[in-house]
Amino acid sequence: MSIEEKLATLSLGDESSLAATVKSDGIEKSGLAPSIEGLAAKCGSGDEKEALAGMALARSLASDCPEAQALTKLCLGPCLEQASSKSKSVREAASSTSLAICAGTNPFGVKSLLPVLFAALPVEKKWQIRELALRCVASLGETAPKQLGNALPEVVPEVTACMWDTKKQIKQAATAAMREALKVIGNKDIEHMTEKILIAISKPKEVPEIMHEMAGVTFVQSVESPALAMVVPLLLRGLREKQIATKRQ
C-alpha cells in the first residue's frame, strides 16, 4: 500500500514505518510526491487527531528523510497556522514540526522557506503564529548561517518591523531572531558593535551614538550584503536626524 493510500487512514504511530518506506523507495515510488498536498492538508486539519498524525509524519520525514525535504517544506505553512490552535497538543506539535522542517532543510534550500515564514509575520496573523515564524527564522542562524547571512537583505526588514510590535512575545522573538542574524553578518570590523546595532534598531534615540561609533570604525574587510543589510538602515536613519553632526558622521 502506497503512502497516498495510507494517508486516508493515517494515525499517530504510522510515521516511523512510512518514513522508512520513503527512505527505501524514494519520494516517487513510495507515493509521497503525489500525496504531499494531502499530507499538508492533514497538518492543517481542524481535527486534532488528524492534525497530530499529519504533523508527526511531516516531522519524521523532515528529520529522517533528506530526500523528502523539497516536499516537506510544503507542510511548513499549515504547521505555522496550527500554532494558534486551541489544543495544547496541536500547538506543541506545530512548534516542533515547524522547527524540524527548518532544521531538516538543506542549507542551500533555506531561501525557499523564507516566503512561507514571511507570510506568517503580518500583524493580521495571530501572535502565536508570528512568534513561531520568528523562532524558525532564528533557528536558521544555527542550521544555515552562511545562507541566512546572504538572505539578510530580505530578512532584516521583515524582522525589524516585528521588533516594534506592541505584543511582548513578538518583540522578544523578533529581538532573538535579529540577534541570531547579527551573528552571521561575517564582518569582523563591526562585530563588536552588534549588540549596539540591535539596540539602535529598536530604540531610534540610540542612533546618534552608534553613528558616532560607526564613524570611528576602520573598515579593512570587504563590506558585503550581510553587513550592509544591518548597517544601511541605520545610516538612512542617521541621515534623517536633525543634528548636522550626526548626518556628517
Side-chain angles (χ1 to χ4, degrees):
M1 187 183 293
S2 70
I3 288 180
E4 198 170 6
E5 295 170 311
K6 288 182 179 179
L7 272 179
T9 57
L10 184 67
S11 61
L12 271 175
D14 293 342
E15 62 273 8
S16 297
S17 61
L18 292 176
T21 300
V22 173
K23 205 166 185 178
S24 61
D25 296 347
I27 59 173
E28 289 292 343
K29 187 179 177 182
S30 66
L32 179 63
S35 59
I36 191 62
E37 289 186 5
L39 176 58
K42 283 193 176 291
C43 289
S45 174
D47 181 86
E48 182 176 348
K49 288 183 179 179
E50 192 170 66
L52 290 173
M55 286 190 282
L57 177 55
R59 187 165 59 249
S60 185
L61 290 168
S63 302
D64 302 328
C65 302
E67 58 272 28
Q69 63 185 245
L71 300 175
T72 50
K73 71 178 183 181
L74 297 177
C75 299
L76 180 57
C79 289
L80 291 171
E81 291 291 330
Q82 291 284 30
S84 63
S85 171
K86 293 180 181 179
S87 165
K88 182 182 178 183
S89 298
V90 171
R91 292 196 303 271
E92 289 174 349
S95 176
S96 60
T97 306
S98 297
L99 291 168
I101 290 172
C102 291
T105 299
N106 186 292
F108 295 104
V110 156
K111 211 165 183 180
S112 67
L113 299 178
L114 295 180
V116 182
L117 297 174
F118 294 163
L121 293 180
V123 292
E124 294 80 13
K125 293 285 186 180
K126 292 182 179 178
W127 72 265
Q128 297 94 332
I129 298 171
R130 301 172 69 206
E131 182 190 31
L132 178 55
L134 287 165
R135 286 170 55 206
C136 287
V137 172
S139 74
L140 300 178
E142 185 177 337
T143 58
K146 184 172 177 59
Q147 288 71 22
L148 179 62
N150 291 335
L152 286 186
E154 295 90 43
V155 171
V156 169
E158 297 285 347
V159 177
T160 297
C162 294
M163 288 178 70
W164 301 332
D165 201 84
T166 54
K167 195 78 177 174
K168 178 183 175 183
Q169 293 90 334
I170 300 300
K171 276 186 178 180
Q172 290 176 339
T175 301
M178 190 65 82
R179 185 171 279 111
E180 287 301 316
L182 282 163
K183 291 178 182 177
V184 301
I185 58 176
N187 190 294
K188 293 181 179 179
D189 298 325
I190 59 171
E191 65 181 10
H192 66 286
M193 299 177 63
T194 53
E195 197 62 31
K196 291 183 179 179
I197 291 173
L198 184 66
I199 293 171
I201 291 170
S202 57
K203 296 179 181 178
K205 288 183 181 179
E206 301 292 329
V207 170
E209 184 183 337
I210 197 169
M211 285 300 102
H212 177 72
E213 290 197 35
M214 195 80 74
V217 173
T218 301
F219 286 93
V220 178
Q221 189 177 346
S222 296
V223 184
E224 298 180 349
S225 61
L228 285 172
M230 291 295 179
V231 173
V232 168
L234 292 176
L235 293 176
L236 292 173
R237 226 181 272 178
L239 288 168
R240 295 190 192 106
E241 287 286 316
K242 292 181 181 178
Q243 296 179 35
I244 299 299
T246 303
K247 290 182 180 182
R248 284 177 177 169
Q249 285 171 339

